Amino acid sequence: QVYLVESGGGSVKAGGSLRLSCRAPGCSIAANFVGWFRQAPGKEREGVAAIVLDGSSTYYADSVKGRFTISQDNAKDTVVLQMNSLQDEDTAMYYCAADCGYGGRWYLFDRPYEYESRGQGTRVTVSS
C-alpha cells in the first residue's frame, strides 16, 4: 500500500471553490491511478474523480462534471482536485485513493473507493 497525504478541504459558501491535494509518493508510474471518493452521512460512497498518472485518462462522476477538475502537478506525485461552483450536495468527507503497482486495473478506474490505498479523509462543508 501507498501512504497518502491529503490537504485542503474546509468550509465554503455555495458557489465557492476549494482545492484538495493528495501526495502519493511511490505511485508515480504510468498506468497507476489516483482518485477521490466521498461519503456523506447516510449516503453511499461515491467516486468523484480519478486520473491515470500518465495523464492519458480521467474520470468524473456525472454529479461533478463541469465543476471539478482533477490534475497532476509538476512533481508528478501530487494530484489536485479543484472544486468550483460547490453546492450543498457536495458536503461530505473526501478521501484520496491510489491504486499502484498493478499496471492499471481498469475495471476499478471509476471506483476510487475500491483502490488499494486511501487517505484519512478531509471534510468539505458547503453551506447556503
Side-chain angles (χ1 to χ4, degrees):
Q1 292 195 348
V2 177
Y3 179 67
L4 304 175
V5 181
E6 301 161 330
S7 60
S11 297
V12 67
K13 292 287 189 181
S17 299
L18 285 172
R19 178 183 171 99
L20 305 182
S21 294
C22 176
R23 184 164 179 267
C27 192
S28 58
I29 298 173
N32 289 327
F33 309 151
V34 175
W36 294 87
F37 68 94
R38 65 188 180 187
Q39 186 156 28
K43 295 186 179 180
E44 294 187 355
R45 295 172 302 180
E46 178 187 21
V48 174
I51 187 168
V52 183
L53 291 184
D54 63 4
S56 61
S57 186
T58 56
Y59 161 78
Y60 294 98
D62 288 342
S63 57
V64 306
K65 281 181 182 176
R67 302 188 297 121
F68 290 12
T69 302
I70 190 168
S71 63
Q72 292 173 267
D73 75 0
N74 291 334
K76 298 295 186 182
D77 66 354
T78 298
V79 171
V80 173
L81 183 67
Q82 178 66 41
M83 305 185 295
N84 298 329
S85 302
L86 283 161
Q87 304 167 355
D88 292 357
E89 307 85 78
D90 296 317
T91 294
M93 281 293 289
Y94 283 71
Y95 298 87
C96 177
D99 204 66
C100 309
Y102 294 95
R105 297 194 292 178
W106 289 101
Y107 57 94
L108 294 180
F109 186 51
D110 62 350
R111 303 199 299 271
Y113 45 82
E114 294 190 21
Y115 291 1
E116 179 193 35
S117 305
R118 65 178 59 178
Q120 293 300 307
T122 184
R123 183 170 300 279
V124 171
T125 303
V126 184
S127 58
S128 300

